Amino acid sequence: MEASASHTSPIPVDFFADPVCPWTWLTSRWILEVADRRPVKVSWHVMSLSILNENRLDDLPERIRVLMGEAWAPVRVLTAARLTHGPEVVEPLYTALGSRYHLQQQPKNRATLEAALRDAGLPVDLAAAGDTDRYDEELRASHTRGITLVGQDVGSPIIAVPGADASSDPIAFFGPVVNPAPKGEDAARLWDGLITVASTPSFYEIKRTRTGGPDFG
């Protein structure tokens, strides 16, 4: 598959994200830049770092264990919003949550959830979903759909696009981790390169050490 302006129909892109992850937030801003410059159509899905880490909490630092506890409510609310108001509300609610968590550094509590719901034009009573496991079956199913594409040794986000033909598996990968998020044609060129690399059957991993915390610009 090539990701170029020669496509006449958009490439469907599935983006699986947990809203509490600052690195995912940066990647999400990048994929929106890509969507402005390449023929892609992004569908937004929920994955959960709390689910991913629930069987290894004892091995995590205390601050991460605390974050994993706080991370349940946002993904439950996102799942409830999707089920009751449709998949098109996931991106605006994710953006509202991310703006408050990462740009405004607001706490991951009920008040912030309610404020984000108002930002997204959704009923604030959806915030109650954060305190219940009512939507956990669907949350786990969405998380599993993403993880199944790439395996357990990853995090948020996961990106998937169709394979070369109908009989091919999807092309999926964790990341990219970008800091700060590329903009304009830089964002588009990164997309082109990633799809080329990820489409190579024998390719698995490329990585280098991060040199600083998240740069939200």
Side-chain angles (χ1 to χ4, degrees), residues 110-185:
R110 176 71 173 264
T112 302
L113 284 170
E114 292 179 350
L117 286 162
R118 284 192 292 269
D119 293 343
L122 292 165
V124 296
D125 59 7
L126 281 170
D131 299 322
T132 175
D133 61 2
R134 176 181 176 184
Y135 298 98
D136 281 12
E137 182 176 355
E138 177 54 33
L139 169 60
R140 289 179 180 276
S142 179
H143 174 83
T144 298
R145 283 193 292 272
I147 287 293
T148 299
L149 295 169
V150 291
Q152 291 288 331
D153 191 25
V154 298
S156 173
I158 292 166
I159 292 175
V161 299
D165 53 56
S167 63
S168 301
D169 291 333
I171 299 164
F173 50 88
F174 158 62
V177 178
V178 290
N179 190 39
K183 299 183 183 302
E185 194 58 25

Side-chain angles (χ1 to χ4, degrees), residues 23 25 30 32 46 48 54 68 71 78 99 110 120 154 183-184 189:
W23 304 104
W25 172 255
W30 164 75
L32 290 175
V46 186
S48 170
E54 63 184 344
M68 292 303 95
L78 273 166
S99 296
R110 176 71 173 264
V154 298
K183 299 183 183 302
R189 281 195 294 268

Side-chain angles (χ1 to χ4, degrees), residues 171-210:
I171 299 164
F173 50 88
F174 158 62
V177 178
V178 290
N179 190 39
K183 299 183 183 302
E185 194 58 25
D186 287 342
R189 281 195 294 268
L190 175 58
W191 171 258
D192 295 341
L194 278 170
I195 294 301
T196 298
V197 168
S199 300
T200 302
S202 58
F203 175 80
Y204 286 97
E205 185 173 1
I206 186 170
K207 189 173 183 178
R208 58 185 171 192
T209 300
R210 302 176 199 174

